[in-house]
Amino acid sequence: MQYYDSNSVIYLNGSFVKAAEAKTDLYGQSLHYGLAAFEGIRAYKTHNATRIFKAAAHFERLQRSCELVGIPYPWDNKELIKKTYRLLEKNNLKDAYIRPLVYSDPNMTLIAPEKANIMICAWEWGAYLGDKQLKVCISPFQRPNPKSTFVEAKISGHYVNSILATTDAKKRGFDEALLLDANENVAEGSGANIFIEKGGKLYTPALGNILAGITRATVIELCHMLDIEVIEKTISVDQLKNADSAFFCGTAAEIIGIHTIDDTVYRQKWSDSIGSTIQRAYKNLVLEKVNYEVII
């Protein structure tokens, strides 16, 4: 996929520059060791104007990710949000995926950097996992152990794990991978959180071994608004496979139903599931067709 062309502009350390002309140093920790923090954000064309969905929450998490691993973060988030809207205007984007990235100055040691850089780019990108129910496999790769890193931080190096899991799943004929945690309980997809439905309730893995997804939090808020009970708890593989239905959620993926886990087929029709209700409510929310945020 072509993410930019000769006219594409990015935001880089306070300036707007042509993406094709932007440069970075080849001696940085971010390139060599994966020490960088990023966010995935979406902007939607609404009936009012283009709106970046939960921009403040995303930039706050970006700052928190940097703080956890010792990457300097000298920027003002409100100013970064303004610059992001300006970036969309410069690229004539109404619906867009936005990628801020904080990366280190040249530093070949294994000590956190003293200075950092910020880049923000954007491009048109449909739902990452498509719009069809997914065939999912349980991956042989586990999510990182929380005793080995800060799993709640969105750090670039963590996604080597996701690449391994997704590549393995695709080679085996599946659409996506589901990873377990160090205790062999359900964690999350390679780039999305998971919810399961059982007996009219939704369940999702509790925080501790997963990324605290902003879309995950939005789903929980919508459930409270719609009077749907949602429970955060440890979920075993048996509970996953004996559920009535399941879905992934994430900024890139949005809300997408799961058809099968390994050879287990969810028998409930997606259109009859709670996930389908949440999918519609989420789309209405981001497009401002129904302003749930006034209430939640």
Side-chain angles (χ1 to χ4, degrees):
M1 176 179 176
Q2 182 69 36
Y3 296 98
Y4 67 92
D5 58 32
S6 59
N7 296 315
S8 297
V9 172
I10 67 169
Y11 178 79
L12 180 63
N13 290 331
S15 300
F16 292 99
V17 301
K18 290 288 185 70
E21 298 172 3
K23 297 180 180 179
T24 188
D25 195 283
L26 296 179
Y27 291 85
Q29 282 178 323
S30 303
L31 179 62
H32 287 262
Y33 308 125
L35 187 68
F38 73 94
E39 276 297 316
I41 312 173
R42 278 200 185 271
Y44 293 91
K45 182 181 179 182
T46 73
H47 65 280
N48 291 319
T50 292
R51 181 179 70 138
I52 301 172
F53 186 65
K54 294 203 168 181
H58 279 286
F59 278 100
E60 286 165 7
R61 187 172 65 179
L62 179 65
Q63 181 173 359
R64 177 61 177 156
S65 294
C66 289
E67 291 170 348
L68 283 170
V69 298
I71 300 175
Y73 193 92
W75 304 284
D76 178 78
N77 284 335
K78 290 182 179 179
E79 185 64 22
L80 290 177
I81 292 170
K82 290 179 183 178
K83 297 297 186 184
T84 304
Y85 273 106
R86 184 68 182 128
L87 177 71
L88 295 176
E89 291 174 2
K90 283 183 171 290
N91 287 289
N92 195 30
L93 292 170
K94 306 297 183 185
D95 290 283
Y97 182 82
I98 302 160
R99 171 57 56 86
L101 174 72
V102 177
Y103 61 99
S104 70
D105 258 10
N107 178 8
M108 295 300 292
T109 74
L110 296 179
I111 301 171
E114 295 182 0
K115 295 182 179 180
N117 308 273
I118 188 164
M119 180 275 289
I120 307 174
C121 61
W123 66 90
E124 291 183 350
W125 206 20
Y128 175 63
L129 295 172
D131 57 5
K132 306 292 185 183
Q133 281 187 273
L134 304 174
K135 292 174 55 183
V136 177
C137 66
I138 294 184
S139 178
F141 298 97
Q142 293 179 337
R143 293 305 274 170
N145 190 313
K147 293 184 178 181
S148 67
T149 187
F150 294 104
V151 295
E152 67 269 36
K154 201 169 177 70
I155 302 302
S156 297
H158 291 175
Y159 285 77
V160 172
N161 174 252
S162 298
I163 292 170
L164 293 172
T166 303
T167 302
D168 170 77
K170 295 284 189 181
K171 285 181 177 178
R172 293 197 279 139
F174 293 92
D175 300 311
E176 178 59 302
L178 177 66
L179 295 90
L180 306 181
D181 62 24
N183 298 312
E184 294 293 310
N185 292 310
V186 174
E188 57 193 331
S190 64
N193 294 116
I194 188 169
F195 285 77
I196 66 170
E197 176 183 351
K198 185 68 176 179
K201 301 176 183 179
L202 284 185
Y203 298 84
T204 190
L207 300 180
N209 293 290
I210 63 171
L211 181 72
I214 291 170
T215 309
R216 174 185 181 274
T218 303
V219 169
I220 292 172
E221 291 168 353
L222 286 171
C223 285
H224 292 161
M225 172 59 197
L226 298 171
D227 199 26
I228 297 168
E229 187 173 359
V230 58
I231 300 165
E232 300 176 68
K233 65 183 289 290
T234 299
I235 298 174
S236 69
V237 173
D238 283 344
Q239 289 170 328
L240 169 72
K241 292 189 173 183
N242 283 295
D244 299 324
S245 68
F247 63 90
F248 281 132
C249 69
T251 297
E254 300 181 303
I255 311 294
I256 183 68
I258 297 173
H259 183 260
T260 57
I261 297 284
D262 292 337
D263 57 355
T264 298
V265 179
Y266 289 121
R267 297 186 181 279
Q268 186 178 44
K269 289 176 60 177
W270 172 246
S271 58
D272 296 333
S273 70
I274 294 175
S276 179
T277 298
I278 296 297
Q279 186 182 57
R280 293 191 299 272
Y282 183 80
K283 184 60 71 173
N284 286 336
L285 176 61
V286 299
L287 295 178
E288 292 187 324
K289 291 182 178 179
V290 177
N291 196 1
Y292 293 111
E293 286 192 316
V294 170
I295 301 170
I296 63 178

